[in-house]
Amino acid sequence: MTERIPFTRSSRDGPAFRTVHHPAIPRPRPSAENLLRVQRIRWNEDLLVVAAAGEIDLATAGRLEQALRGHLPAATVLDLSEVGFLGVAGLRVIESAAARARTERRTTSVVADSRPVLRLLQLFGTETQIPVYRRLDHAILEVPNQ
């Protein structure tokens, strides 16, 4: 926002003006609920789809972690196709859930198609530990039959 203030010195054409810049007033950050939506969809008795939409970062990773807690079926597909940003905190939640699934003899897979999400999964080598698919229907077809 700019404000014009008359300069104290005058010229023959009238008072001179200068522009004063005020620092922008910081806006409050949206709540975690507004930054990330997480939905648990029970596909069948052996498959749970956890769909996330928004940004997964340090502020919102807890919401994803909460959705991946408790008693889970034989297979879990984490659908990140609507996620525009995945931070390291979110990646740690995904890796932790997959490690827990392995110890409990369950499967976990990820669906992602946005460049920022795929890039982070690739940089940390997560796609070598957890199957990553570009489409949800492909992930569901690959779920082992129990």
Side-chain angles (χ1 to χ4, degrees):
M1 178 160 85
T2 60
E3 181 180 323
R4 295 189 73 157
I5 299 175
F7 197 67
T8 56
R9 221 174 11 176
S10 295
S11 71
R12 65 181 172 168
D13 298 328
F17 290 95
R18 64 182 173 135
T19 303
V20 177
H21 294 280
H22 296 285
I25 298 171
R27 294 185 181 147
R29 182 180 165 117
S31 66
E33 293 82 24
N34 292 333
L35 290 173
L36 179 68
R37 293 177 312 282
V38 179
Q39 183 179 12
R40 290 173 56 122
I41 305 161
R42 192 62 183 240
W43 201 265
N44 60 39
E45 89 178 38
D46 291 329
L47 175 62
L48 174 70
V49 175
V50 177
E55 300 176 1
I56 304 173
D57 59 10
L58 186 60
T60 60
R63 298 197 73 220
L64 180 62
E65 185 176 30
Q66 203 170 32
L68 294 169
R69 283 189 186 153
H71 180 70
L72 297 173
T76 302
V77 174
L78 182 55
D79 183 4
L80 304 179
S81 58
E82 295 292 320
V83 171
F85 175 79
L86 176 65
V88 174
L91 183 66
R92 296 293 174 229
V93 169
I94 295 166
E95 289 176 341
S96 174
R100 181 178 147 220
R102 281 190 296 275
T103 61
E104 296 174 358
R105 298 182 184 233
R106 295 183 294 105
T107 62
T108 301
S109 57
V110 172
V111 175
D113 64 354
S114 70
R115 181 172 162 76
V117 174
L118 290 170
R119 183 74 176 135
L120 191 69
L121 294 172
Q122 179 187 20
L123 281 173
F124 283 86
T126 305
E127 84 282 357
T128 62
Q129 304 295 319
I130 306 168
V132 178
Y133 301 92
R134 293 224 179 217
R135 294 180 33 185
L136 181 60
D137 57 343
H138 293 171
I140 290 172
L141 287 174
E142 292 293 321
V143 170
N145 294 327
Q146 301 293 326

